Amino acid sequence: MNPHRHWVFILYLFYVMIVVLIIFSLYLLSQIKNEQIFQVKVDTTSNQTVLKEDLLNNTLKNFDLKATKEMEIKNSPSLYKDPSK
């Protein structure tokens, strides 16, 4: 009985797996080159997204309010005395 029989079996098994992987990779490469697999189909229908006007107006109003508050803070005189002076 050969003590290395198991190792030879494992070696052959991995050899077969590698050959199968290479053959599958070449097959997949040929399919991709012939444009028979992994093709992206472009949907030509136009997807229109309807915006809710009240939410949009509310958001715009919030941004305007923030902008006016920022201008008020920048332009108004400071209400406290600077302690460093």
Side-chain angles (χ1 to χ4, degrees):
M1 185 140 178
N2 188 356
H4 301 291
R5 191 174 124 216
H6 292 27
W7 291 110
V8 171
F9 176 74
I10 291 174
L11 186 69
Y12 283 141
L13 180 71
F14 278 105
Y15 176 73
V16 168
M17 288 174 52
I18 288 174
V19 169
V20 168
L21 182 66
I22 290 173
I23 291 172
F24 178 73
S25 297
L26 290 174
Y27 169 75
L28 196 61
L29 179 68
S30 70
Q31 292 293 316
I32 291 172
K33 282 190 174 189
N34 293 334
E35 297 180 355
Q36 295 177 357
I37 194 168
F38 297 130
Q39 294 299 310
V40 177
K41 295 178 182 170
V42 178
D43 189 16
T44 57
T45 61
S46 63
N47 294 333
Q48 295 179 351
T49 305
V50 179
L51 295 176
K52 296 181 181 176
E53 280 190 49
D54 56 341
L55 294 176
L56 180 64
N57 289 334
N58 192 12
T59 304
L60 290 174
K61 195 184 308 180
N62 284 339
F63 278 114
D64 289 339
L65 183 63
K66 286 180 183 181
T68 55
K69 281 185 181 181
E70 181 182 358
M71 291 305 290
E72 286 176 7
I73 291 171
K74 283 183 179 178
N75 295 332
S76 67
S78 61
L79 301 175
Y80 58 90
K81 200 174 210 181
D82 189 10
S84 65
K85 291 184 180 180

